[in-house]
Each structure stands twice: as C-alpha cells, then as structure tokens.
Amino acid sequence: MSNRHIIYVQGYDPRGLAQYYRMFRTELRKFARLYQLSATISRPHSKSDDEITSWSIETKAQASGQAWQTRTTYDFLRFEDFIQNDLAAPIWRTVAQAVWIYWRLIFRGTIGRFWSANWRFATFITWPHIILLLEALVAAGAGFVFGKGLDALGAPQPLSWLAGSAIFMVLLWGALRYFENQTYVLYLLCDTIWTWQFAHRQRPEWDQRIDRFAQYLAEVARVSDADEIVIVGHSSGSFLAAEMLARALKRDPSLGRHGPRIMLLTLGGNFPIVGFHRAAADFRDHLAQLAVEPQIDWIDCQARKDVMNFFKLDPVASHGIDVGSAKRNPTIVPVRFREIIRPDHYNLFRWQFFRVHFQFVMANERPHAYDFFMIVCGPVALRERMAHPAAALAVVTTPDGAERELAWSALAVSGPARVSADPDLATAKEQPARRRG
C-alpha cells in the first residue's frame, strides 16, 4: 500500500474549511466514478488550536487487473479567520486603502511589471478598480442630479451639496455591499490590501502562523512513515506554501534528506503579486533557496485559461533571480483544462474565472495525465507522475496487462532522477504507454 501525506495550504479564500471539505468530498466521489475506484474519506478532525484540520482517504482499485491501494493523510492549513476579519472591515476603509495602494502600485512601476509579465493577470487585478470607478460615477451622477433638483426647488446651496454628497455615499455603499456576490469587488480589494501588506511584512499574525506551520512540517517530516510529503499551494497558497517550506528548511536544513520525499506542488500560482514588490527581498531570497535546494522537487502547474495565474512565467527567473547552473526548480507544467473537462460542460463555465481557477483542485471529467485527485490518491508518486505522465496515466486506465506492466516499468526507471518538464503533459490523454515512449 502506498502512503502519502498531503499538506494543503489555503489561499486567500474566506470560505474556509467547511466548504472546502464538502467540495473535496464531492470531487472525490466524481474521481472514484471516473476511474472505477473505491474511495472512502474520514471526518475532519482539528488540531493545533484549529489552525490545522486533517482527514484521511483510503483508495483502492476495482477495475479488472488493477491491484493497488493507497492511504492518504490530508492536512488543511487554515487562514480563513484572518481573511474573514479583513472582509469584516468597514467598507470605506477597505476602499480607501485599496485605492491608495493601487495608485502606489502604478507610480512605483509594479503594475507595469505585472502587465509585462502577464497582461491577463494585470487586467484581472485592475478590474475591481474599474467596477468601483463605474459604481462611483453612477452614484455621483445620481447625487449631482438630486442636488440640482433641490437647487431648482429653492433649497440653500449648502443643503443641496450635503444632500447630493449623502446620496452619493449611500448609493456607492449600497452598490458595493449588495452587488458583492456578482462583482467580488470588496473581496478583490481586500486581496490587494493583504498581498501588499504581506509583501511589506505588515501582517505579523500571518508570519507567526506560517512559522508555526513550518515547525509542523519539520515535525511531520521527522516522524511520518509516508512515502512522500506533498505540500500543495493553490492560488495565493502557492507563495504561502513556498514561504512555509523555505522557513521549515531554515529550521531543519536536513529536511528531505531523511524520512519521506518532500515535494512542493504549486497550482495556479501568482508569485509576482508578492515578489514584484521591492520590499519583498526576503521572499525573493526564499525563492532563490528553493530554486537550488537539492532535496526538494518543486512542480509548478499553470493554465492559460486561468487569468489568476501567471501562465508561462518562471516563478524564479521572473523575479530577476539568477542562480546559474545550480538551478533545479521549479519544473513548469502546462495544463489544458479543455482536455480534462467534457466539452459541453467546459463551455458552460469557461468564462467563470473563479470556477476555472479552482479546476486545478477539482476532479477531472476525462482521464488525463494531470489529475489533482490522482496526485492525492493515486498509486504513482508525484515525481514519477510528472517525469512520465503517459505511463502514470496508463497504469490506471489501460485494460491490457502487458501495457500496464510496461507503464510500471517506465515509472520504475525514473528512480530518484530529476523531474523534467514534459510538454506532452498538457496533451497527454488516454494512450498506451508504449505509443508515447
């Protein structure tokens, strides 16, 4: 039986544990149906003052000729209490902070660097400010008309001005509050504030919790009997996971040289949103450390369709970090969501940006080399899966015993070798392993 330990680092998502666990359980069932597997999940249990919640998954092959079983421990590292506090701040304070930060991003050239790196992401983080401006213009127009109406009725000019201003503020407040579920303006503004403050080390509570998570990782690595520990960071969790791992390496420089293999898997990452700030020198130092760390393998999965990640951008080189020939991380893996989702379903949500973004951590609808739940629950370790994606897929899909043995052989020869970027991962579908080498 394979034994795996997943440490999932939550991004800037206020929904938190309850909704994530429900989504995970639902997607696990879809995964099991797709590959004809038996998958059972335990109830979540919390530890470390509710900062970490864990559950376990038992997965077993049911298809004819298949004979594998895995046990996965899944840790969910939580930040939703901080995020919910951010969203509970007065609307006027959130708007004022976010607008002031955005103008500083413009004048310091940070937005320009975002545009050069990935225009889609730069457009995405500018979008809430555009919506805010439109809402403000509509509210200001209504306030102006109301004030002019009072002038026409002979009201004193100061009264007309005050009444028009009051109408403006009430309408803008109402638009921000009651259309939030459609626009996500306040959430995205809070995200902007948080990343700025995190990059400038103005959020000590976040740093303290990351330090505790780093200590937890070091302790798990010392005592775990897992075959591999996979640290997963999705979205903003990508740079939080990298931070946690770098700090754990400082606590225990031998991390990864003893016990389970340590893997870092970042999905839909947005490292520049922190690292492009001049103040984030410590963060860039951590990226440089991970880039050369011999006992860590770092896989960074990116998707063109996801506007919330930096597609085709090296998380290390893009920050001006040059470690020369010593560089061994990350391996950048392109993922095409169109190939893992049924065409009719894909067309329904392809323009729902948050839904697309979360596809990284949801179940496939078609067998494919990239499959988050196969990474979590499947029989093939992450390093071998990424080094030989077609063989990893054939192991769980091909009905032919000889081809399946050939696939296992291809995986075995990878051994402890360096993971190499395989461009075919983006297009690897259900094909016999021997056809693709």
Short mmCIF file of all heavy atoms in Angstrom, two decimals, residues 359-396:
data_model
loop_
_atom_site.label_atom_id
_atom_site.label_comp_id
_atom_site.label_asym_id
_atom_site.label_seq_id
_atom_site.Cartn_x
_atom_site.Cartn_y
_atom_site.Cartn_z
N GLN A 359 -10.43 24.73 -10.93
CA GLN A 359 -10.34 23.44 -11.61
C GLN A 359 -9.04 22.73 -11.27
O GLN A 359 -8.97 21.50 -11.32
CB GLN A 359 -10.48 23.62 -13.12
CG GLN A 359 -10.52 22.31 -13.89
CD GLN A 359 -11.65 21.40 -13.44
OE1 GLN A 359 -12.81 21.80 -13.39
NE2 GLN A 359 -11.32 20.17 -13.07
N PHE A 360 -8.01 23.47 -10.92
CA PHE A 360 -6.75 22.85 -10.52
C PHE A 360 -6.93 21.84 -9.40
O PHE A 360 -6.20 20.85 -9.32
CB PHE A 360 -5.76 23.92 -10.05
CG PHE A 360 -5.03 24.63 -11.15
CD1 PHE A 360 -5.30 25.97 -11.41
CD2 PHE A 360 -4.08 23.99 -11.91
CE1 PHE A 360 -4.61 26.65 -12.40
CE2 PHE A 360 -3.38 24.65 -12.91
CZ PHE A 360 -3.65 25.99 -13.16
N VAL A 361 -7.89 22.08 -8.50
CA VAL A 361 -8.04 21.22 -7.31
C VAL A 361 -9.40 20.51 -7.31
O VAL A 361 -9.87 20.08 -6.28
CB VAL A 361 -7.87 22.03 -6.01
CG1 VAL A 361 -6.44 22.52 -5.88
CG2 VAL A 361 -8.84 23.21 -5.94
N MET A 362 -9.99 20.35 -8.50
CA MET A 362 -11.25 19.64 -8.63
C MET A 362 -11.04 18.39 -9.48
O MET A 362 -10.00 18.20 -10.11
CB MET A 362 -12.32 20.56 -9.25
CG MET A 362 -12.62 21.77 -8.38
SD MET A 362 -13.80 22.93 -9.11
CE MET A 362 -15.32 22.01 -8.90
N ALA A 363 -12.03 17.52 -9.48
CA ALA A 363 -11.91 16.25 -10.18
C ALA A 363 -11.97 16.44 -11.69
O ALA A 363 -12.66 17.34 -12.21
CB ALA A 363 -13.02 15.30 -9.74
N ASN A 364 -11.27 15.59 -12.40
CA ASN A 364 -11.37 15.54 -13.86
C ASN A 364 -12.70 14.93 -14.27
O ASN A 364 -13.32 14.17 -13.52
CB ASN A 364 -10.25 14.68 -14.45
CG ASN A 364 -8.90 15.36 -14.42
OD1 ASN A 364 -8.70 16.34 -13.71
ND2 ASN A 364 -7.96 14.82 -15.18
N GLU A 365 -13.10 15.23 -15.50
CA GLU A 365 -14.24 14.55 -16.13
C GLU A 365 -13.77 13.61 -17.23
O GLU A 365 -14.57 12.83 -17.75
CB GLU A 365 -15.22 15.58 -16.68
CG GLU A 365 -15.88 16.41 -15.58
CD GLU A 365 -16.85 17.45 -16.12
OE1 GLU A 365 -16.87 17.66 -17.36
OE2 GLU A 365 -17.57 18.06 -15.32
N ARG A 366 -12.50 13.71 -17.58
CA ARG A 366 -11.90 12.82 -18.58
C ARG A 366 -10.53 12.40 -18.06
O ARG A 366 -9.80 13.21 -17.47
CB ARG A 366 -11.75 13.56 -19.92
CG ARG A 366 -13.04 14.14 -20.45
CD ARG A 366 -12.82 15.19 -21.51
NE ARG A 366 -12.40 14.65 -22.79
CZ ARG A 366 -12.10 15.41 -23.84
NH1 ARG A 366 -12.16 16.73 -23.75
NH2 ARG A 366 -11.74 14.85 -24.97
N PRO A 367 -10.16 11.11 -18.25
CA PRO A 367 -8.83 10.68 -17.81
C PRO A 367 -7.75 11.52 -18.48
O PRO A 367 -7.80 11.78 -19.68
CB PRO A 367 -8.78 9.22 -18.26
CG PRO A 367 -10.20 8.79 -18.34
CD PRO A 367 -10.96 9.99 -18.81
N HIS A 368 -6.77 11.91 -17.71
CA HIS A 368 -5.74 12.79 -18.23
C HIS A 368 -4.50 12.68 -17.34
O HIS A 368 -4.59 12.29 -16.18
CB HIS A 368 -6.25 14.23 -18.25
CG HIS A 368 -5.42 15.17 -19.09
ND1 HIS A 368 -4.31 15.82 -18.60
CD2 HIS A 368 -5.55 15.57 -20.37
CE1 HIS A 368 -3.79 16.58 -19.55
NE2 HIS A 368 -4.52 16.45 -20.64
N ALA A 369 -3.36 13.05 -17.90
CA ALA A 369 -2.12 12.98 -17.14
C ALA A 369 -2.16 13.91 -15.93
O ALA A 369 -1.59 13.59 -14.88
CB ALA A 369 -0.93 13.33 -18.03
N TYR A 370 -2.78 15.10 -16.08
CA TYR A 370 -2.96 15.96 -14.91
C TYR A 370 -4.29 15.64 -14.26
O TYR A 370 -5.35 15.79 -14.87
CB TYR A 370 -2.92 17.46 -15.25
CG TYR A 370 -3.17 18.28 -13.99
CD1 TYR A 370 -2.13 18.55 -13.12
CD2 TYR A 370 -4.46 18.71 -13.64
CE1 TYR A 370 -2.35 19.24 -11.94
CE2 TYR A 370 -4.68 19.40 -12.46
CZ TYR A 370 -3.63 19.66 -11.61
OH TYR A 370 -3.85 20.33 -10.44
N ASP A 371 -4.24 15.22 -13.02
CA ASP A 371 -5.45 14.92 -12.26
C ASP A 371 -5.13 15.12 -10.79
O ASP A 371 -4.37 14.36 -10.19
CB ASP A 371 -5.89 13.47 -12.52
CG ASP A 371 -7.27 13.16 -11.95
OD1 ASP A 371 -7.52 13.52 -10.80
OD2 ASP A 371 -8.09 12.57 -12.67
N PHE A 372 -5.70 16.17 -10.21
CA PHE A 372 -5.37 16.51 -8.82
C PHE A 372 -5.65 15.35 -7.87
O PHE A 372 -4.83 15.03 -7.00
CB PHE A 372 -6.15 17.74 -8.38
CG PHE A 372 -5.93 18.12 -6.93
CD1 PHE A 372 -4.71 18.62 -6.51
CD2 PHE A 372 -6.93 17.95 -5.99
CE1 PHE A 372 -4.49 18.95 -5.18
CE2 PHE A 372 -6.73 18.27 -4.66
CZ PHE A 372 -5.50 18.78 -4.26
N PHE A 373 -6.78 14.68 -8.06
CA PHE A 373 -7.13 13.62 -7.13
C PHE A 373 -6.29 12.36 -7.37
O PHE A 373 -6.09 11.58 -6.43
CB PHE A 373 -8.63 13.33 -7.19
CG PHE A 373 -9.42 14.30 -6.38
CD1 PHE A 373 -9.81 15.52 -6.92
CD2 PHE A 373 -9.75 14.03 -5.07
CE1 PHE A 373 -10.51 16.43 -6.16
CE2 PHE A 373 -10.45 14.93 -4.30
CZ PHE A 373 -10.84 16.15 -4.84
N MET A 374 -5.78 12.18 -8.56
CA MET A 374 -4.84 11.08 -8.77
C MET A 374 -3.50 11.40 -8.11
O MET A 374 -2.82 10.50 -7.61
CB MET A 374 -4.68 10.80 -10.26
CG MET A 374 -4.10 9.44 -10.58
SD MET A 374 -5.04 8.05 -9.91
CE MET A 374 -6.34 7.84 -11.13
N ILE A 375 -3.13 12.67 -8.09
CA ILE A 375 -1.93 13.08 -7.36
C ILE A 375 -2.11 12.80 -5.87
O ILE A 375 -1.19 12.32 -5.19
CB ILE A 375 -1.64 14.58 -7.60
CG1 ILE A 375 -1.20 14.81 -9.05
CG2 ILE A 375 -0.59 15.11 -6.63
CD1 ILE A 375 -1.12 16.27 -9.44
N VAL A 376 -3.31 13.08 -5.36
CA VAL A 376 -3.58 12.91 -3.93
C VAL A 376 -3.77 11.43 -3.58
O VAL A 376 -3.24 10.96 -2.56
CB VAL A 376 -4.83 13.71 -3.53
CG1 VAL A 376 -5.28 13.39 -2.09
CG2 VAL A 376 -4.58 15.21 -3.67
N CYS A 377 -4.49 10.69 -4.40
CA CYS A 377 -4.93 9.34 -4.04
C CYS A 377 -4.39 8.23 -4.91
O CYS A 377 -4.63 7.05 -4.62
CB CYS A 377 -6.47 9.27 -4.10
SG CYS A 377 -7.31 10.48 -3.07
N GLY A 378 -3.70 8.53 -6.00
CA GLY A 378 -3.30 7.50 -6.95
C GLY A 378 -2.07 6.71 -6.52
O GLY A 378 -1.42 7.03 -5.52
N PRO A 379 -1.72 5.68 -7.28
CA PRO A 379 -0.63 4.78 -6.90
C PRO A 379 0.76 5.27 -7.27
O PRO A 379 1.76 4.69 -6.85
CB PRO A 379 -0.96 3.50 -7.68
CG PRO A 379 -1.63 4.00 -8.92
CD PRO A 379 -2.43 5.20 -8.49
N VAL A 380 0.85 6.35 -8.08
CA VAL A 380 2.14 6.81 -8.59
C VAL A 380 2.56 8.07 -7.83
O VAL A 380 1.78 9.02 -7.70
CB VAL A 380 2.07 7.09 -10.10
CG1 VAL A 380 3.41 7.56 -10.62
CG2 VAL A 380 1.60 5.84 -10.84
N ALA A 381 3.79 8.08 -7.34
CA ALA A 381 4.31 9.24 -6.63
C ALA A 381 4.41 10.44 -7.57
O ALA A 381 4.53 10.30 -8.79
CB ALA A 381 5.68 8.92 -6.03
N LEU A 382 4.37 11.64 -6.99
CA LEU A 382 4.30 12.85 -7.80
C LEU A 382 5.51 13.02 -8.71
O LEU A 382 5.37 13.39 -9.87
CB LEU A 382 4.16 14.08 -6.89
CG LEU A 382 4.08 15.44 -7.58
CD1 LEU A 382 2.91 15.50 -8.56
CD2 LEU A 382 3.96 16.56 -6.55
N ARG A 383 6.71 12.75 -8.21
CA ARG A 383 7.90 12.93 -9.05
C ARG A 383 7.83 12.05 -10.29
O ARG A 383 8.05 12.50 -11.41
CB ARG A 383 9.16 12.61 -8.26
CG ARG A 383 10.43 12.76 -9.09
CD ARG A 383 11.61 12.11 -8.40
NE ARG A 383 12.08 12.89 -7.28
CZ ARG A 383 13.02 12.47 -6.43
NH1 ARG A 383 13.54 11.26 -6.59
NH2 ARG A 383 13.42 13.22 -5.43
N GLU A 384 7.50 10.77 -10.11
CA GLU A 384 7.41 9.86 -11.24
C GLU A 384 6.24 10.20 -12.15
O GLU A 384 6.32 10.08 -13.38
CB GLU A 384 7.29 8.41 -10.74
CG GLU A 384 8.58 7.82 -10.20
CD GLU A 384 9.00 8.41 -8.87
OE1 GLU A 384 8.12 8.90 -8.12
OE2 GLU A 384 10.21 8.38 -8.56
N ARG A 385 5.14 10.67 -11.56
CA ARG A 385 3.98 11.06 -12.36
C ARG A 385 4.34 12.18 -13.32
O ARG A 385 3.94 12.17 -14.49
CB ARG A 385 2.85 11.49 -11.43
CG ARG A 385 1.68 12.18 -12.12
CD ARG A 385 0.54 12.44 -11.16
NE ARG A 385 -0.06 11.16 -10.80
CZ ARG A 385 -0.93 10.50 -11.55
NH1 ARG A 385 -1.32 11.02 -12.71
NH2 ARG A 385 -1.42 9.36 -11.16
N MET A 386 5.08 13.17 -12.85
CA MET A 386 5.43 14.30 -13.69
C MET A 386 6.56 13.97 -14.67
O MET A 386 6.64 14.54 -15.75
CB MET A 386 5.81 15.50 -12.83
CG MET A 386 4.64 16.06 -12.03
SD MET A 386 3.27 16.55 -13.12
CE MET A 386 2.04 17.06 -11.92
N ALA A 387 7.43 13.03 -14.30
CA ALA A 387 8.51 12.65 -15.20
C ALA A 387 8.01 11.77 -16.34
O ALA A 387 8.54 11.83 -17.46
CB ALA A 387 9.60 11.91 -14.41
N HIS A 388 6.98 10.94 -16.07
CA HIS A 388 6.44 10.03 -17.07
C HIS A 388 4.91 10.10 -17.05
O HIS A 388 4.25 9.17 -16.59
CB HIS A 388 6.91 8.60 -16.81
CG HIS A 388 8.39 8.42 -16.89
ND1 HIS A 388 9.05 8.24 -18.08
CD2 HIS A 388 9.34 8.42 -15.93
CE1 HIS A 388 10.35 8.12 -17.85
NE2 HIS A 388 10.56 8.23 -16.54
N PRO A 389 4.33 11.20 -17.51
CA PRO A 389 2.88 11.39 -17.38
C PRO A 389 2.06 10.35 -18.13
O PRO A 389 1.04 9.89 -17.62
CB PRO A 389 2.64 12.80 -17.94
CG PRO A 389 3.84 13.09 -18.79
CD PRO A 389 4.98 12.37 -18.14
N ALA A 390 2.49 9.97 -19.33
CA ALA A 390 1.71 8.99 -20.09
C ALA A 390 1.72 7.63 -19.41
O ALA A 390 0.70 6.93 -19.37
CB ALA A 390 2.24 8.88 -21.51
N ALA A 391 2.87 7.25 -18.87
CA ALA A 391 2.95 5.97 -18.17
C ALA A 391 2.11 5.99 -16.91
O ALA A 391 1.43 5.01 -16.58
CB ALA A 391 4.41 5.65 -17.83
N ALA A 392 2.12 7.11 -16.17
CA ALA A 392 1.31 7.22 -14.96
C ALA A 392 -0.17 7.10 -15.29
O ALA A 392 -0.94 6.49 -14.53
CB ALA A 392 1.59 8.54 -14.26
N LEU A 393 -0.58 7.65 -16.42
CA LEU A 393 -1.98 7.54 -16.84
C LEU A 393 -2.31 6.12 -17.25
O LEU A 393 -3.38 5.58 -16.91
CB LEU A 393 -2.25 8.51 -17.98
CG LEU A 393 -3.68 8.55 -18.53
CD1 LEU A 393 -4.67 8.96 -17.45
CD2 LEU A 393 -3.78 9.47 -19.73
N ALA A 394 -1.40 5.48 -17.98
CA ALA A 394 -1.65 4.12 -18.45
C ALA A 394 -1.80 3.14 -17.30
O ALA A 394 -2.58 2.19 -17.38
CB ALA A 394 -0.52 3.68 -19.38
N VAL A 395 -1.08 3.36 -16.22
CA VAL A 395 -1.15 2.47 -15.07
C VAL A 395 -2.57 2.34 -14.54
O VAL A 395 -2.98 1.26 -14.09
CB VAL A 395 -0.20 2.98 -13.96
CG1 VAL A 395 -0.56 2.41 -12.60
CG2 VAL A 395 1.24 2.64 -14.30
N VAL A 396 -3.35 3.40 -14.62
CA VAL A 396 -4.69 3.38 -14.02
C VAL A 396 -5.81 3.33 -15.05
O VAL A 396 -6.99 3.29 -14.67
CB VAL A 396 -4.91 4.62 -13.10
CG1 VAL A 396 -3.95 4.57 -11.93
CG2 VAL A 396 -4.75 5.92 -13.89
#
